[in-house]
Amino acid sequence: MTDIAKLAGVSQSTVSLVINHMSGAKVSKVTRETVLRIARELGYPVERHAHPAAAQTRNLIVYLTDELATSPHAMQTIDGAKEAAWEQDCLVAVFATRGDPELEAAVFARMLDHPALLGVIYSTIFTRAVTVPAALDATPTVLLNCHTRDRGRASVVPSELLGGYTATMHLIENGHSRIGFINGEHWIEAAAERLKGYRQALSTADIPFDPVLVRAGDWQVAAGYEHALSLLDLPQRPTALFCANDLMAIGALDAARERKLSVPRDLSVIGYDDQDIARYTHPPLTTVLLPNYEMGRWAADSLIAQCRANQSSKAIIKMECPLVARDSVAPPRL
C-alpha cells in the first residue's frame, strides 16, 4: 500500500479506504479509480478485498487506560497508537477505567470475544509495575507506560533515569556545579528514576551530592515556585535548577523573577516532559522530551507484528527521553 500511495500521490490511509471499500469514505471517483488501477498494475489482490464481509478481519485494538484527563500525556500516546494502527489497516478503541476493576471487567466481557479483536494495549497514566488482569491471559497484550515485575509481557516505558541524567549533564556541560533539583513525589516511579539520573550525572562529573539542594514537589506550578524560592534563598544558592516537569519549571521561572534573577543569565532552568507550553515561556524552556507519541506507536506496531507473525514477545523497551534545548540554560556568571 505504501508503493500504491506513492505512485497515486495520495496518503496510505486513502489507499486503505479504497482497497478495503470502506463505506462513507470521502474519496473522489477519480482518486478511487487511480488507486485501483495502480494496485492492479502492481499485482495487489484488489478483488480479494472487494467483499470484506465474506471473512472477518482481526483489525481491532482495544486500548485500555486508567486515566485520560489528568495530563496531555495520555492523549499523545493514544495518538501514536491510533496512527500506527491506521497505517496497518487497524482501528483503536479506547476505554478509560479510572482503575475501577468492575468497569475493566465489563470492557473485557464485551470486547475480548469481539470477532475483529486483534489484541490489547494496556496502559497507565503513571509509569509503574502492574498485575495484568487474568482475563488477558489468552489475549495478545502489550503494556504501555507500565511493566510487570516478572517481565512476562512486552512493554514500553520511558527511560526516566537516562532522562534525569541527560538534563543534569546538560547543566554540568554548561559549567554548573551547584544544581538544585525540584522533584515530584518520591513514591512515583518516574520521580525516583529521575532522581537517580540526577545523582548519576553528578557522580560522573565528580560533583558531591548535596541533599540540601533537593526538594520534593507535587508536579504543580505552585510547588515549583515555592521550592525554587527556598533554594534561591540558601546562603549559597544554586546557579541552575532542574525541575522534574515543565509545570514546576514554570513556577521556578516565576520565583526567579520574584528574586530579580534573569534567566538564563543569573539562573539556568531546565524542565521535563516538553509540554506545549514549554516553548512559550519567557525565555523558552529547555526541557527533556517524554516520548509519549513514540511509545504509543511502538505499542501498536509491536502488537500488530506479534499477532500477524503468530508469535508472542516479552520485549522490554526503555525509550530515550532526548533533550530539547531552548533558551533557559547558559553558563553561570563568573
Side-chain angles (χ1 to χ4, degrees), residues 220-301:
Q220 301 303 313
V221 173
Y225 173 78
E226 293 166 4
H227 288 309
L229 283 180
S230 74
L231 288 166
L232 295 177
D233 289 342
L234 290 173
Q236 186 182 358
R237 71 168 180 84
T239 61
L241 296 178
F242 168 29
C243 302
N245 77 337
D246 292 338
L247 292 180
M248 292 193 295
I250 290 171
L253 292 176
D254 288 342
R257 281 189 284 271
E258 180 84 9
R259 292 294 181 263
K260 304 294 190 289
L261 297 173
S262 173
V263 176
R265 185 182 64 177
D266 301 318
L267 177 72
S268 288
V269 178
I270 189 168
Y272 203 108
D273 292 347
D274 194 29
Q275 293 193 29
D276 287 343
I277 196 172
R279 70 194 68 183
Y280 301 115
T281 58
H282 299 285
L285 184 66
T286 293
T287 185
V288 174
L289 173 69
L290 194 60
N292 298 299
Y293 178 84
E294 291 77 9
M295 291 195 301
R297 286 194 65 92
W298 185 92
D301 284 336

Side-chain angles (χ1 to χ4, degrees), residues 27-255:
V27 180
S28 71
K29 182 179 179 181
V30 172
T31 298
R32 186 180 299 275
E33 290 175 351
T34 300
V35 168
L36 291 174
R37 175 181 56 77
I38 293 172
R40 291 188 179 97
E41 289 174 355
L42 293 178
Y44 191 93
V46 174
E47 280 65 31
R48 179 160 59 87
H49 293 262
H51 303 287
Q56 179 66 60
T57 300
R58 289 190 176 272
N59 63 356
L60 176 65
I61 295 173
V62 168
Y63 185 115
L64 203 68
T65 183
D66 54 359
E67 187 60 73
L68 285 176
T70 57
S71 77
H73 303 316
M75 296 310 301
Q76 292 167 354
T77 56
I78 289 170
D79 283 344
K82 287 170 61 178
E83 291 185 20
W86 181 244
E87 289 169 8
Q88 301 183 65
D89 296 322
C90 293
L91 296 175
V92 174
V94 179
F95 297 88
T97 66
R98 292 187 176 272
D100 184 340
E102 291 186 7
L103 179 54
E104 192 174 80
V107 173
F108 292 151
R110 293 288 185 92
M111 300 304 298
L112 294 188
D113 289 333
H114 195 292
L117 181 68
L118 183 74
V120 172
I121 295 175
Y122 192 84
S123 176
T124 57
I125 191 65
F126 292 119
T127 306
R128 59 186 175 89
V130 297
T131 300
V132 178
L136 293 177
D137 285 350
T139 303
T141 303
V142 170
L143 305 182
L144 174 54
N145 203 40
C146 54
H147 54 92
T148 57
R149 298 197 186 280
D150 64 1
R151 297 175 172 264
R153 296 275 190 169
S155 68
V156 58
V157 297
S159 183
E160 301 283 18
L161 188 152
L162 183 57
Y165 180 90
T166 298
T168 309
M169 282 303 300
H170 182 65
L171 294 170
I172 292 171
E173 289 165 355
N174 273 273
H176 296 277
S177 58
R178 191 158 177 80
I179 301 168
F181 180 40
I182 303 175
N183 202 6
E185 296 96 332
H186 66 86
W187 52 269
I188 293 179
E189 185 173 308
E193 292 294 296
R194 292 172 195 180
L195 176 59
K196 288 180 184 177
Y198 166 79
R199 296 191 63 162
Q200 283 193 16
L202 295 178
S203 177
T204 298
D206 292 325
I207 299 172
F209 171 71
D210 185 352
V212 171
L213 294 175
V214 177
R215 299 287 187 275
D218 62 3
W219 312 106
Q220 301 303 313
V221 173
Y225 173 78
E226 293 166 4
H227 288 309
L229 283 180
S230 74
L231 288 166
L232 295 177
D233 289 342
L234 290 173
Q236 186 182 358
R237 71 168 180 84
T239 61
L241 296 178
F242 168 29
C243 302
N245 77 337
D246 292 338
L247 292 180
M248 292 193 295
I250 290 171
L253 292 176
D254 288 342

Side-chain angles (χ1 to χ4, degrees), residues 1-19:
M1 286 194 291
T2 301
D3 293 337
I4 296 169
K6 289 179 180 177
L7 290 170
V10 297
S11 68
Q12 189 170 327
S13 298
T14 298
V15 174
S16 178
L17 291 171
V18 174
I19 293 296

